[in-house]
Amino acid sequence: ERIRLARELHDGVGQKLALLTKMVKKTGDPQADSLARNTLEELRNVSRQLYPVLLERLGLSGAIRSMVDEIDASTDIFFTHKIDDIDDKVTKETSLHLFRIVQELLNNTVKHSRARTCFVNVEKEVKAIEIEIGDDGIGFIFRERLRESSSLGLRMLMERTKIIQSGFRVYSEPLKGTKVSLTIPT
């Protein structure tokens, strides 16, 4: 349903809004032009949030590789990855949750860790998928961060892992980096 809705927004409403944006631009009204462009971008963001284009085009394994490579190219952090092909082991719903979990963890690394290096490992085991993401950054005390009101990201990560019935562990100490492990039963 998410995929269908994302396509409808992109292909239907999005195309009409793109045409409207072009028509408004011809009028020369800068406020209307700005409103039309911003509305189109908002619609595209909503569509991507429902089901990321990368995930649909490349599958989960390819989308994670692409995301890591893109972040590596656009930051000073040196990323490495070893990503097994796990697409046949997870449902579309689980794929979406895993993509969002990895995305949030990588965004947190870039925003908060002050790391020089980061690794992403996705391994297909016999009865599970193991995901590890780690960095050599400043680290933190997990329990304290979880209690902070600003830790919505961590709470959302934990909620997503519950939804897909996965194990979730955070290993972190100040000045010793962070490692997050996920175990997803298959």
Side-chain angles (χ1 to χ4, degrees):
E1 186 62 19
R2 286 175 188 243
I3 295 169
R4 186 194 66 74
L5 187 56
R7 281 189 189 136
E8 283 295 316
L9 286 173
H10 181 269
D11 297 342
V13 178
Q15 296 305 322
K16 289 176 183 170
L17 198 50
L19 287 173
L20 180 62
T21 301
K22 286 183 180 187
M23 290 171 58
V24 167
K25 191 173 194 145
K26 290 179 183 178
T27 68
D29 182 346
Q31 286 180 318
D33 180 47
S34 177
L35 178 63
R37 281 186 290 110
N38 290 341
T39 304
L40 179 59
E41 187 55 36
E42 266 186 59
L43 179 71
R44 287 178 176 155
N45 285 336
V46 168
S47 180
R48 283 190 290 265
Q49 291 297 319
L50 286 170
Y51 201 82
V53 175
L54 266 183
L55 193 54
E56 187 172 349
R57 279 193 207 140
L58 305 175
L60 179 58
S61 303
I64 292 172
R65 276 186 212 100
S66 180
M67 183 173 24
V68 172
D69 290 342
E70 184 178 314
I71 295 170
D72 182 45
S74 63
T75 68
D76 292 334
I77 302 171
F78 177 72
F79 281 83
T80 59
H81 60 72
K82 179 190 175 294
I83 301 169
D84 292 345
D85 185 1
I86 58 170
D87 294 4
D88 63 335
K89 294 286 189 183
V90 292
T91 65
K92 282 196 177 281
E93 181 181 352
T94 299
S95 290
L96 178 61
H97 286 294
L98 288 175
F99 180 83
R100 293 292 186 213
I101 289 167
V102 171
Q103 186 177 49
E104 179 69 17
L105 291 170
L106 293 177
N107 286 337
N108 287 346
T109 298
V110 171
K111 282 186 198 174
H112 306 296
S113 74
R114 297 187 209 156
R116 289 171 288 141
T117 64
C118 179
F119 68 86
V120 178
N121 293 333
V122 178
E123 294 185 36
K124 181 169 37 174
E125 303 291 337
V126 174
K127 293 188 178 187
I129 295 167
E130 299 287 339
I131 298 177
E132 284 189 343
I133 299 175
D135 66 61
D136 64 353
I138 60 171
F140 61 96
I141 299 172
F142 179 69
R143 290 189 192 282
E144 286 180 12
R145 185 68 50 89
L146 197 54
R147 282 193 296 265
E148 292 174 5
S149 62
S150 63
S151 69
L152 182 62
L154 274 178
R155 288 196 180 104
M156 290 301 296
L157 285 172
M158 294 175 71
E159 187 61 32
R160 284 188 185 275
T161 58
K162 283 180 191 173
I163 290 169
I164 59 174
Q165 300 174 346
S166 297
F168 177 73
R169 289 182 203 86
V170 177
Y171 307 93
S172 187
E173 290 183 48
L175 305 176
K176 293 188 178 183
T178 301
K179 183 173 88 170
V180 175
S181 294
L182 287 162
T183 303
I184 304 95
T186 56

